[in-house]
Amino acid sequence: QDRVTLKNTARFDTGPVRHTLRAGLDWSQQEKTMLRAPATNTTPSGKLSRLGVFAIDDMDFGNDLRASLGLRIERQRISGANTTTAFGPFRTTARTLGLGLEKDLAGGFTLFGSATHGEGLASLDVFHQTSPTRAGRFYGEDVQRNRNLEAGLRYSSSSVLRPGDRLSASLLGYDTRVRNAMYGPSTGGASEFPAYHMRGLEAMARYDLESGLYARAILTLARHREQQHTAAAGTVWRDYLYNPGQQARLTLGKRWDSGWEFAWSLHAARKVTINAATHPGWGVNDLTLSYSPQSGMLAGATLDLALRNLFDK
């Protein structure tokens, strides 16, 4: 695989708005040979090349208001062959556009949000798993598309309960829709998953004492669904097979000025029912010992020694 990226950063003002604009070109190519016996509608060998242009503009409007606008357009050429058939070349254009906003509020609060439209390019692995003979799906302009919306609130402050302490927290909501899913079709086309809808809430809070003691809690509430299409039942929505459900993580730790840190973490999930199948809840305990040299040639590095799933759950 070969890749070359050329990029430039420009800083300028337009009226009261300060811009930091990163833009450039990105070229790559990849050639792959599958190390197994070829079969019908597979690509034991393949080639792809991509050329993309991108720009990201970080804007500061003053009054604690910031925005980022990003655009990427990428053109791909992909082809493959097995022992009997050559597929392609297929040419595809993918476009991605995203906008993010952030506004500092009074009292240590920050409001933020983003909206993104994305389109996906097939990799050689996807090219192998889905038949290119099916109307050129994913390899012409009928690409995977997704839309993602996020909104949240952050809080950060110091000396909240006692001098020298630090408190930070955040709440995030997301809603993601994927259509014409790239990994949706099975090889034979008997059962397909052409769309997904994922939404949820994520909450985090961390409290640090000046002595180095800290506690962190994370809560995730997710509702992920997938669209299934079969000849017998048609198109129906159902629970996503890997829906994470409701999960929580609690961490208690201690940091020392010498660079040592010790932490215990519990990662747990509630019982979840997915498509009439019930999966029991679980809890996993981890212990971690870390060391970060404060000086010398290894300053900035971190060495971790961990015991994962302490009680084999």
Side-chain angles (χ1 to χ4, degrees):
Q1 179 173 341
D2 305 303
R3 183 169 187 171
V4 177
T5 302
L6 301 175
K7 59 183 177 180
N8 179 68
T9 300
R11 295 176 177 86
F12 57 94
D13 296 340
T14 57
V17 183
R18 291 187 173 182
H19 298 261
T20 300
L21 177 62
R22 291 164 288 161
L25 295 171
D26 186 37
W27 171 85
S28 64
Q29 70 173 11
Q30 183 179 6
E31 184 172 355
K32 188 173 184 179
T33 299
M34 305 294 287
L35 301 179
R36 63 172 176 155
T40 303
N41 289 336
T42 64
T43 55
S45 63
K47 296 181 181 180
L48 68 78
S49 61
R50 294 176 177 175
L51 179 62
V53 57
F54 61 89
I56 303 172
D57 190 9
D58 295 324
M59 296 166 282
D60 190 337
F61 294 86
N63 298 318
D64 297 319
L65 175 62
R66 296 170 295 277
S68 293
L69 179 64
L71 170 68
R72 182 180 181 93
I73 301 176
E74 194 164 14
R75 183 70 171 171
Q76 173 175 278
R77 182 182 186 273
I78 188 170
S79 60
N82 57 32
T83 54
T84 60
T85 308
F87 300 113
F90 297 99
R91 293 174 175 84
T92 309
T93 301
R95 294 151 289 261
T96 300
L97 178 65
L99 173 65
L101 296 172
E102 187 175 79
K103 170 64 175 175
D104 291 338
L105 306 175
F109 289 94
T110 300
L111 186 67
F112 62 93
S114 66
T116 306
H117 167 81
E119 298 178 350
L121 293 172
S123 66
L124 289 174
D125 291 329
V126 178
F127 198 71
H128 165 74
Q129 293 295 336
T130 59
S131 168
T133 60
R134 290 164 55 194
R137 192 174 185 186
F138 315 126
Y139 311 108
E141 297 306 316
D142 191 19
V143 297
Q144 172 178 293
R145 292 176 172 84
N146 65 80
R147 186 270 296 149
N148 184 62
L149 301 175
E150 292 183 349
L153 184 67
R154 287 197 303 268
Y155 173 78
S156 180
S157 186
S158 58
S159 299
V160 179
L161 301 179
R162 55 188 302 175
D165 68 2
R166 297 188 304 276
L167 175 64
S168 60
S170 65
L171 178 64
L172 168 71
Y174 65 90
D175 187 290
T176 302
R177 293 180 183 269
V178 179
R179 58 189 176 93
N180 197 24
M182 191 176 297
Y183 286 89
S186 63
T187 302
S191 177
E192 297 187 358
F193 299 90
Y196 297 87
H197 184 195
M198 296 163 283
R199 55 186 174 178
L201 290 173
E202 298 176 355
M204 184 279 294
R206 175 166 177 148
Y207 182 66
D208 289 76
L209 291 173
E210 191 176 19
S211 63
L213 288 170
Y214 66 88
R216 182 177 65 244
I218 301 173
L219 176 65
T220 302
L221 307 176
R223 175 65 164 165
H224 294 185
R225 294 176 63 79
E226 61 188 1
Q227 192 180 70
Q228 184 185 29
H229 177 81
T230 60
T235 302
V236 296
W237 283 95
R238 66 175 204 171
D239 294 327
Y240 179 45
L241 184 60
Y242 302 105
N243 180 29
Q246 302 179 23
Q247 297 191 20
R249 182 185 291 271
L250 174 64
T251 302
L252 301 177
K254 173 72 165 70
R255 294 179 289 103
W256 288 270
D257 293 338
S258 59
W260 289 95
E261 180 176 345
F262 179 76
W264 162 81
S265 179
L266 171 63
H267 187 189
R270 291 190 61 181
K271 176 178 69 175
V272 61
T273 299
I274 301 177
N275 301 320
T278 299
H279 305 271
W282 48 267
V284 173
N285 289 266
D286 299 329
L287 296 178
T288 304
L289 180 65
S290 302
Y291 177 65
S292 300
Q294 303 300 293
S295 61
M297 62 180 299
L298 294 180
T302 300
L303 175 67
D304 290 329
L305 175 64
L307 295 176
R308 304 296 188 192
N309 195 5
L310 188 61
F311 301 110
D312 191 27
K313 294 295 183 181

